[in-house]
Amino acid sequence: MADMVGKALRVLSLLGGYPEGVPLSELARAAGYPVSTTHRLLSSLQSEGFARNDPVSKRYSLGLRLFELGQSVSQARGFAGVALPVMQKLSAETGEPTLLAVLDGHNQVYVHSVQGSQRLQIRGEPGARGPLHCTSMGKCLVAFASNRDELVASLELPALGPRTITSREAFAAEIAAVRERGFAIADEEHEEGIRAVGVPIRTPDGTAIAALSTAAPAYRLTVAQLEEFVPALRAAARELAALLPR
């Protein structure tokens, strides 16, 4: 057992050296293990969220479970990261909170949350998971994902708010609309009384590496008022696209 744990930790350490992902055969060679053993280790790590396999490239990379576990340490040590200054500038401009999330399987994982100047604020706890189908960031992550069609076809669509889209056909149409206009609105879809607007943070090939959003109570901002934040969100997203690791 101890030997297998050591092998799994070695595989995790090696994965950290391949930010763009690595094929199974190459990782097996680097680890010095048979392909079958490496695959078995990766399968176990993937099932627990410590590793992930890109559905398009078939490359393995570190999973976001490591990020989730590290959040308590990074927060305790006052980790600011490259994203926070950009997000703080955006919140100062909008007066509302700014949230950042990334895609992990069939969920989004909140990475950062910056508060605005308004008294009542919407929060996104770093490391927490959220749904994709009924949030502005989730819709952006789906619309600009490399495996968009698979997500549109397979995501569960539970009704979480009074306006949640639960029809597969309507959800597909919504994702197509998000791709066309380049931003997403969630109007009391995740929670009653909450509205948000989100934009993708994209690589040069157009794939989303993260999403950025502004959220506010529905009584304070209409959908039209939220859409006025889109230019500022897009400017922040362009800046973050140059700073965030891919």
Side-chain angles (χ1 to χ4, degrees), residues 70-156:
Q71 277 304 298
S72 58
V73 175
S74 63
Q75 293 295 316
R77 297 192 178 196
F79 173 74
V82 296
L84 289 184
V86 178
M87 296 172 66
Q88 288 163 349
K89 182 172 64 176
L90 180 59
S91 283
E93 182 175 346
T94 65
E96 302 292 348
T98 302
L99 296 88
L100 181 73
V102 294
L103 178 69
D104 186 32
H106 282 198
N107 297 103
Q108 63 177 332
V109 175
Y110 294 100
V111 179
H112 289 308
S113 176
V114 171
Q115 297 301 288
S117 58
Q118 299 287 348
R119 178 169 300 193
L120 181 60
Q121 299 280 307
I122 310 303
R123 296 181 180 273
E125 192 67 30
R129 290 176 176 270
L132 295 172
H133 70 293
C134 58
T135 61
S136 63
M137 289 190 294
K139 292 178 186 179
C140 289
L141 291 169
V142 172
F144 296 93
S146 58
N147 59 329
R148 178 181 71 257
D149 292 341
E150 182 272 325
L151 290 172
V152 170
S154 63
L155 279 179
E156 294 184 6

